[in-house]
Amino acid sequence: MDHGSQQQHPAMIRLYEVQREVQSLGPQVCTFSGLKNEREYRRLERELTRLLLEVDQVDTEGRADLQGARKRAAQEVEGLLRYLEENATHPSRLAIEELSREAQRLVEQGVVEPQRAGGTAEISDELVDAVQELILRLTQVKTGGSVPLRKARYRALTRLCAVQDVIEGRTRQQTLPLSEDTHVAVQRINQVMVQVSGARSQLVALLMGLSGRDSCAHLSRVLTELLVELDALDVSGNAAVRNYRKQVVEEINGLLKHLDLEGEGDDTRRYDLAQNDSIRQIEAVRGRVGQLRGEVLRHCGVGDLFRPKPELQSLLTHLDQVDTARNPCIREARRRAVLEVQAVITFLDLREALICRQPGSNEPPQHRAVWMVLGSLSDLQAQVLCFNGKRADKSYILLEELLTKQLLALDAVDPQGDEMTKVARKQAVKFAQNILSYLDMKTDEWEY
């Protein structure tokens, strides 16, 4: 039977209809980043289950071609159901959710509850530090390149970073009320200031999902109305009042910029940081550093010293100018790239110091001992710079042991009151610890 007659069979027509529905649901399933208890998950699961039942009910009349088509359709639907469930229950997805709940508890106790009680929350350094720690823990959640997991992590991060910005804005707040005797408009600006303070806590509650009755759209309208009212105030050319109004307007605009997060994470260019321009700049720097590192190690292998320090310094300057947009993942990517550049620079500095070293005949033995350790550390750092394995590798374990032995050797050096030896030993210990930290960074499987 040819393909045209197969299409005319009622069973095949129905299977094609199911296939079209599956193609429509596929992108929705593949980008869903929520949990099993969410309405959208239940909808997708219900639709896919319905299609699976419809496929199962197709009468193939014992024909092999129809049976094959039905089997393929069933496998496609089952694959989407599996993908939907696996991402919603993935350990990384659950880790993101747990961190989000931890952030909710933190913000509710530190910001929302005091506001509901009629007071104003005093933002402590402990709260700011705790939020920062949660952000760092979120950046360390592995997604394995999964779109739903990347979206979930990105959404959680953008909300928590917005909260961080809002509460840090409150701690940095420099706007102080003017005396109402200054100008007739000051009383109303002071009243707006009080409303803005309440809006700040309300915004934090919205961002963290702690405000069931309100919505971002409603708060946006309220803040926009305050802007219009402030703009309409006649300050009669009074510079101090005009500046005061400007400060309050800036605070309102600072809150408004966080109220467009409803669809955050749906834009591929946002959550897929491989497409981000800042990440591309960082990756270009890392690529160049890799080339320079290879050249440095190759020259060292033949007893020469290749000195690309000016270019390495220019790469650091370029990294410093990369716009991170307060995104913790981009910040971390930049930090790691900076450490890669600095590792090559410190290696070159030590090699040069070792080459130029001219110890005198009266050099204390303990000072010579520190330099011997530095020579060993330089050789080990060369191995660390070209290491490209995992923590379970024997070469990693060996490098870690050898670096630890050098730390123990430094610990055994007795300066005997010699100040120069004390300073040299302290610097050598820091150098060894930095090499160990760099080795750890190279093997911690971080991803942006």
Side-chain angles (χ1 to χ4, degrees):
M1 184 177 292
D2 63 24
H3 187 67
S5 59
Q6 284 181 5
Q7 283 185 312
Q8 297 307 311
H9 193 284
M12 190 63 79
I13 290 172
R14 183 61 197 125
L15 288 172
Y16 283 142
E17 289 171 352
V18 168
Q19 192 175 40
R20 278 196 294 273
E21 288 191 67
V22 170
Q23 287 173 346
S24 173
L25 286 171
Q28 299 173 52
V29 171
C30 291
T31 56
F32 174 73
S33 59
L35 299 163
K36 290 185 77 170
N37 60 358
E38 294 182 20
R39 182 185 299 175
E40 180 65 4
Y41 180 94
R42 292 194 294 268
R43 181 188 73 79
L44 290 169
E45 184 184 44
R46 188 168 58 249
E47 290 292 317
L48 289 169
T49 304
R50 174 182 62 78
L51 289 175
L52 195 59
L53 289 171
E54 288 188 19
V55 169
D56 192 52
Q57 290 168 0
V58 169
D59 183 7
T60 62
E61 299 175 359
R63 284 173 44 174
D65 56 339
L66 294 176
Q67 287 173 344
R70 185 176 69 177
K71 183 180 179 182
R72 286 191 297 274
Q75 287 173 337
E76 195 169 349
V77 179
E78 287 167 352
L80 285 177
L81 273 168
R82 223 173 14 253
Y83 187 84
L84 181 67
E85 182 178 19
E86 285 172 0
N87 280 297
T89 59
H90 193 281
S92 290
R93 183 65 188 88
L94 299 180
I96 293 166
E97 188 62 18
E98 181 50 42
L99 287 169
S100 297
R101 286 182 185 149
E102 198 173 328
Q104 279 184 325
R105 291 191 291 269
L106 191 69
V107 168
E108 186 160 31
Q109 293 168 8
V111 181
V112 179
E113 286 180 358
Q115 181 74 17
R116 285 175 180 161
T120 301
E122 290 296 326
I123 305 301
S124 64
D125 290 340
E126 289 78 10
L127 176 61
V128 173
D129 291 344
V131 169
Q132 177 61 29
E133 185 197 352
L134 284 173
I135 287 171
L136 290 174
R137 286 166 64 190
L138 269 169
T139 65
Q140 291 162 0
V141 174
K142 301 290 184 288
T143 66
S146 160
V147 168
L149 295 178
R150 281 210 309 266
K151 282 182 67 174
R153 187 181 67 172
Y154 183 77
R155 286 172 67 86
L157 274 169
T158 49
R159 279 158 174 71
L160 196 50
C161 285
V163 167
Q164 181 187 43
D165 192 45
V166 172
I167 64 176
E168 284 185 353
R170 177 181 289 178
T171 59
R172 292 192 304 266
Q173 184 180 337
Q174 298 297 316
T175 308
L176 299 173
L178 283 181
S179 167
E180 294 185 2
D181 296 335
T182 309
H183 192 279
V184 67
V186 170
Q187 181 181 7
R188 183 56 194 139
I189 301 176
N190 286 345
Q191 291 169 349
V192 170
M193 281 264 302
V194 173
Q195 289 176 271
V196 171
S197 178
R200 191 177 285 108
S201 294
Q202 190 181 351
L203 172 59
V204 169
L206 281 165
L207 291 170
M208 296 311 300
L210 296 167
S211 181
R213 293 174 301 171
D214 301 312
S215 69
C216 286
H218 171 71
L219 184 57
S220 180
R221 282 194 299 272
V222 170
L223 289 171
T224 303
E225 286 169 7
L226 291 176
L227 282 178
V228 171
E229 188 175 347
L230 286 172
D231 187 56
L233 282 176
D234 178 13
V235 296
S236 300
N238 188 305
V241 179
R242 193 165 59 246
N243 186 54
Y244 177 39
R245 179 177 66 178
K246 181 184 174 184
Q247 289 178 298
V248 178
V249 166
E250 286 173 355
E251 286 191 34
I252 295 173
N253 284 328
L255 299 181
L256 279 168
K257 73 179 181 182
H258 295 303
L259 282 166
D260 60 351
L261 293 175
E262 288 300 318
E264 196 69 46
D266 291 332
D267 185 342
T268 302
R269 288 168 297 177
R270 289 178 181 264
Y271 69 77
D272 185 1
L273 288 180
Q275 307 301 318
N276 181 278
D277 184 57
S278 294
I279 288 290
R280 285 175 171 171
Q281 290 182 57
I282 293 167
E283 286 301 313
V285 169
R286 290 185 67 236
R288 181 58 184 150
V289 173
Q291 292 171 352
L292 293 173
R293 182 172 58 228
E295 282 291 297
V296 165
L297 293 172
R298 188 174 64 79
H299 280 269
C300 285
V302 295
D304 190 14
L305 187 62
F306 175 56
R307 295 178 174 85
K309 279 183 66 176
E311 185 176 355
L312 288 166
Q313 292 289 357
S314 72
L315 291 174
L316 282 178
T317 302
H318 181 65
L319 285 170
D320 189 53
Q321 293 167 348
V322 170
D323 180 17
T324 65
R326 292 186 62 83
N327 184 307
C329 290
I330 301 175
R331 277 203 303 246
E332 177 64 9
R334 184 175 68 175
R335 184 188 74 84
R336 296 166 80 89
V338 166
L339 290 176
E340 288 187 28
V341 180
Q342 289 174 337
V344 181
I345 291 174
T346 55
F347 173 74
L348 286 169
D349 286 344
L350 180 56
R351 280 279 163 151
E352 196 162 351
L354 287 164
I355 291 169
C356 298
R357 172 171 147 73
Q358 294 179 335
S361 57
N362 60 344
E363 182 183 45
Q366 61 270 26
H367 197 257
R368 190 180 307 116
V370 172
W371 274 99
M372 285 182 65
V373 172
L374 283 169
S376 299
L377 285 172
S378 179
D379 293 337
L380 287 171
Q381 191 184 18
Q383 295 178 53
V384 171
L385 284 171
C386 62
F387 179 80
N388 196 26
K390 297 182 178 180
R391 290 187 186 181
D393 295 350
K394 288 181 181 178
S395 52
Y396 172 88
I397 296 166
L398 179 61
L399 277 171
E400 194 176 42
E401 285 178 0
L402 291 171
L403 286 164
T404 304
K405 280 182 180 177
Q406 298 308 314
L407 279 169
L408 292 172
L410 287 168
D411 192 50
V413 173
D414 182 2
Q416 297 178 13
D418 182 70
E419 196 60 36
M420 194 163 65
T421 302
K422 279 183 185 177
V423 172
R425 188 180 71 168
K426 184 178 179 181
Q427 289 176 334
V429 166
K430 185 178 179 182
F431 186 72
Q433 289 171 338
N434 285 344
I435 299 173
L436 274 166
S437 297
Y438 179 66
L439 180 62
D440 280 345
M441 187 194 80
K442 289 188 78 171
T443 56
D444 65 6
E445 298 180 7
W446 182 82
E447 61 175 27
Y448 51 72

